[in-house]
Amino acid sequence: MDESRRKFMKMITVGLGSLVGAAATVPFIGSLFSPWVRNKKEEWISVGPVEDFPKGTNTLVEFENPDPEDWAGMTKNSAMWLRHDEDDGFIGFYVNCTHLGCPIRWEAKANLFFCPCHGGVFYKNGEVAAGPPSTALRRYKVRTREGKVEFLTNKVPIVNITYNVEQL
Amino acid sequence: MKHFFKRIGHWFDDRTGWSENILPIIKHPVPPNVGWSYVFGSAVLFCFVLQVLTGIALAFMYQPSVESVYESLQYIRHEAFMGNIIRGLHFFGASGMVTLVGIHMIRVYLTASYRYPREMSWISGVFLLLLVVAMGFTGQLLRWDDEALWSTFVAAEQMGRIPIIGDAIGHLLIAGETINGFTLNRFFSFHVFVFPGIMMMLIGLHLYLVIRNGISEPPVVGRKLIPGVYRKWYDKMIKEKGEPFFPNAAWRDAIFITLVFGVILSLAIVVGAPPLKAEPDPQHVLSHPRPDWYLKWIFALYAMMPPEIEPYLIFFGPLVVISLLLIYPFLSKTGQRHPIRRPWAIAGVVVTIGIVAFFTFMGFKSPWAPKFDTKPLTEAMVFSPKLQPGAQLFYDKGCQYCHSINGYGGSHGPNLSKVGEHRTREHIMIQIVNGGKEMPAYGGILSSQEMEDIITFLKEFKAADYPHKKGKLPAKKAKQRSKKRDFPVKEAEEKPD
């Protein structure tokens, strides 16, 4: 066989093979990265009338994520801490500890949030009181409309070391 | 009749080339003095096969959809034929894999078998090691109980420590911006399809390399490796003195594998797979997430390392360690192979085992975790009216979660049973007001009367006059302790628009 013919056949085999191989993996790569292109929804959720939340208390608000899948089951459930501060009005905190995301619990008598995982403790305003967390509790945007308290649902706050998740 | 079967055998052999091509591989020659230290590789392979088989058995029943997964696991646990044994085999098989992989790696490392010409075996082995850890992690997650759910959050948060793209990677991991209907399926696909697929390819490579390069000869004190002549020397040695792997070495593998399976099966029957924790719900904030035993050391590391260096350690630590492991065959090219002549290697292994063992032990104890289920002092002892208010506050304000008195309380902070004996009132007050890195500053939380009461209690409590807590609680991993919550809960109304 001719040298150039052999070269041509090699080119066809490798070239077409790589092309088709790459094309075949596109759907797979697409599905792998689909969460990045999926439509993200944010919603204002009404928690209830202002009178339901006395000053100085923290309430655990249970809500559902906006636009969950039909089969989402319990994953559509979510919770947040709503504080009615004497001075600063309504503040909404994520339940995720800013260390590594474990759920924090509020102890009313001690006026502290405790994390069960690595010893993180937060004050009532979300500032770090003790332990490994390095940033204050993440907050939701909260507003009052027509006498009702509302907050904006958003993504799970993942603490990025390059820049902080913006204070909402 | 016998003749008939013999003819079928010959036909099969002729069409497939079994005795010509496969049998020689099974009987490949090995150095004559290969001993019991060589059984660990095949033991790992056995565990892998066991995991695949029990995994398939589980997948016949497991429903990988967040809505039904918990019930399907309850079914496997309580109703399925041999369901709990299969679960147990799968869990202890995983433990076996992690343990045996470690022992195998140590054996290879100590005898410097990663050197020429077997560097690729080591490199493929390192990737297999990482995949085994990944399988263990995603496997626990698939239990999708309360612990698993929060582990998912923790995994995503760890990704966040990667610079710049960290939170994007985290969101990729959980298939969305928060835990959703796709999260479980992503982990299921990785655990069942992607990782095992890659592992099978790497195992194939790993085994092929054993045939290609031959299993390393047991090291001899004083013998040097000369790359230029090694292959010729090895081929000659094998030709003259080699013995067939089957059965001369394989019999040892068979005995050890039987032992391993015996242990795994006994554990599966007697101890059983980890019990399913509470049904998962992101609204259950009274949770105690904990990883399975082989990851407890990382859990302890996160709690114990100084927070200032933590983001950098989480990212660079694994990066540096894995890179070092991968290039190690090129860092340690020469020298003797016998462990007796490798004191630094032995020291390194001992230190590593020591560190991992220490952190694993700490991970089980987790003294830094608040002891939420501690019995209030006022319920365990009777106090005078002078001490009663302070003793009650000691519990209400959360002090008892981290400090113990007479055995009641947590172990994060110092034991305060005798603090009144060697600290003045002023000293105690300063500590409580200011706190520290591991203690909140209670100055802004306590009223002056409350402060007085607590200081009085701590100063005047005489440990010897009161009962000491008898014995220890059985060392259970912190699970769902039913502590009554003292915060109000509200359900959000329908969304306004």
Side-chain angles (χ1 to χ4, degrees), chain B residues 187 305 309 397 463:
Chain B
F187 282 105
M305 72 170 121
I309 64 168
K397 295 299 174 186

Side-chain angles (χ1 to χ4, degrees), chain A residues 107-151:
Chain A
E107 296 268 332
K109 293 209 187 101
N111 249 293
L112 293 165
F113 288 103
F114 285 92
C115 177
C117 286
H118 310 103
V121 185
F122 301 87
Y123 294 117
K124 64 185 183 197
N125 62 356
E127 298 282 334
V128 178
S134 48
T135 38
L137 289 180
R138 295 300 176 213
R139 298 182 175 199
Y140 289 91
K141 270 203 182 93
V142 181
R143 69 183 186 196
T144 44
R145 279 288 143 99
E146 292 159 20
K148 300 259 179 96
V149 185
E150 296 174 1
F151 73 96

Side-chain angles (χ1 to χ4, degrees), chain B residues 90-407:
Chain B
H90 202 73
F91 173 74
F92 287 108
S95 305
M97 264 210 94
V98 170
T99 313
L100 289 167
V101 151
I103 299 179
H104 176 63
M105 184 175 173
I106 290 174
R107 196 283 292 167
V108 169
Y109 174 72
L110 283 180
T111 54
S113 305
Y114 50 77
R115 290 193 185 137
Y116 174 89
R118 299 180 180 89
E119 300 94 328
M120 277 302 293
S121 292
W122 174 265
I123 292 174
S124 58
V126 171
F127 284 115
L128 281 168
L129 173 71
L130 297 174
L131 283 165
V132 167
V133 174
M135 288 294 280
F137 178 73
T138 50
Q140 174 183 5
L141 231 129
L142 288 179
R143 287 209 286 276
W144 205 252
D145 57 9
D146 187 61
E147 265 181 10
L149 179 70
W150 293 105
S151 307
T152 317
F153 278 108
V154 172
E157 293 281 347
Q158 288 179 62
M159 293 298 119
R161 301 307 203 265
I162 300 172
I164 304 170
I165 54 169
D167 48 353
I169 304 266
H171 291 138
L172 211 58
L173 195 72
I174 56 176
E177 299 199 319
T178 183
I179 303 250
N180 56 61
F182 298 110
T183 309
L184 178 65
N185 300 86
R186 193 153 276 237
F187 282 105
F188 182 76
S189 289
F190 275 113
H191 184 83
V192 172
F193 300 121
V194 179
F195 292 152
I198 302 177
M199 281 179 84
M200 287 190 208
M201 292 195 280
L202 284 173
I203 291 175
L205 172 66
H206 204 74
L207 292 176
Y208 159 75
L209 287 169
V210 169
I211 304 298
R212 148 121 182 112
N213 292 319
I215 198 78
S216 62
E217 72 283 7
V220 165
V221 172
R223 182 190 288 158
K224 278 209 160 110
L225 165 72
I226 307 169
V229 302
Y230 176 76
R231 279 217 152 100
K232 267 220 183 81
W233 171 87
Y234 184 88
D235 290 342
K236 182 161 177 283
M237 180 267 295
I238 276 290
K239 209 167 176 170
E240 290 171 5
K241 304 194 237 163
E243 297 174 350
F245 170 72
F246 177 88
N248 291 45
W251 72 275
R252 280 185 289 263
D253 289 3
I255 292 190
F256 188 66
I257 286 174
T258 312
L259 197 72
V260 166
F261 183 64
V263 169
I264 294 178
L265 186 62
S266 315
L267 287 169
I269 296 177
V270 172
V271 178
L276 296 169
K277 309 290 185 298
E279 197 160 351
D281 193 324
Q283 290 170 351
H284 289 168
V285 292
L286 299 181
S287 179
H288 277 82
R290 293 287 184 271
D292 281 341
W293 73 267
Y294 37 81
L295 289 176
K296 283 268 201 281
W297 63 282
I298 301 189
F299 163 65
L301 210 60
Y302 285 144
M304 298 178 76
M305 72 170 121
E308 302 80 31
I309 64 168
E310 193 179 61
Y312 309 101
L313 202 65
I314 292 186
F315 176 61
F316 288 110
L319 209 64
V320 165
V321 169
I322 295 172
S323 309
L324 266 176
L325 280 176
L326 284 172
I327 63 172
Y328 202 78
F330 308 102
L331 297 176
S332 161
K333 280 187 177 177
T334 53
Q336 295 204 37
R337 278 186 60 214
H338 197 287
I340 288 289
R341 291 284 187 263
R342 286 168 53 79
W344 284 106
I346 296 183
V349 166
V350 169
V351 166
T352 306
I353 293 181
I355 293 177
V356 172
F358 168 72
F359 280 112
T360 305
F361 170 70
M362 293 304 283
F364 273 96
K365 271 193 80 181
S366 53
W368 52 78
K371 198 163 187 333
F372 292 119
D373 63 344
T374 185
K375 188 175 184 167
L377 284 181
T378 45
E379 281 178 31
M381 316 171 194
V382 180
F383 294 104
S384 63
K386 188 175 189 202
L387 296 188
Q388 172 74 12
Q392 185 63 48
L393 287 166
F394 186 74
Y395 175 78
D396 288 343
K397 295 299 174 186
C399 321
Q400 201 172 330
Y401 292 153
C402 291
H403 292 282
S404 299
I405 287 193
N406 275 20

Side-chain angles (χ1 to χ4, degrees), chain A residues 3-156:
Chain A
E3 197 52 46
S4 62
R5 278 182 74 186
R6 181 163 291 172
K7 245 181 155 174
F8 179 70
M9 286 176 191
K10 277 192 192 171
M11 219 171 52
I12 295 263
T13 313
V14 173
L16 276 182
S18 330
L19 214 64
V20 168
T25 49
V26 162
F28 167 65
I29 304 286
S31 74
L32 199 65
F33 289 97
S34 64
W36 282 356
V37 297
R38 212 178 292 141
N39 270 333
K40 294 142 194 167
K41 236 195 147 214
E42 284 176 356
E43 251 184 15
W44 285 98
I45 294 188
S46 165
V47 181
V50 171
E51 303 76 45
D52 281 1
F53 306 100
K55 282 209 170 133
T57 59
N58 285 13
T59 310
L60 185 71
V61 172
E62 297 174 343
F63 64 95
E64 281 184 12
N65 294 324
D67 200 20
E69 301 80 26
D70 288 338
W71 59 87
M74 55 27 96
T75 61
K76 63 177 183 294
N77 291 344
S78 216
M80 61 92 90
W81 288 108
L82 185 68
R83 172 170 185 76
H84 190 172
D85 196 69
E86 299 89 336
D87 308 312
D88 297 328
F90 282 101
I91 315 174
F93 295 114
Y94 279 91
V95 299
N96 305 90
C97 177
T98 51
H99 178 225
L100 284 169
C102 288
I104 51 164
R105 65 185 66 189
W106 171 249
E107 296 268 332
K109 293 209 187 101
N111 249 293
L112 293 165
F113 288 103
F114 285 92
C115 177
C117 286
H118 310 103
V121 185
F122 301 87
Y123 294 117
K124 64 185 183 197
N125 62 356
E127 298 282 334
V128 178
S134 48
T135 38
L137 289 180
R138 295 300 176 213
R139 298 182 175 199
Y140 289 91
K141 270 203 182 93
V142 181
R143 69 183 186 196
T144 44
R145 279 288 143 99
E146 292 159 20
K148 300 259 179 96
V149 185
E150 296 174 1
F151 73 96
L152 187 67
T153 65
N154 211 317
K155 39 189 175 176
V156 170

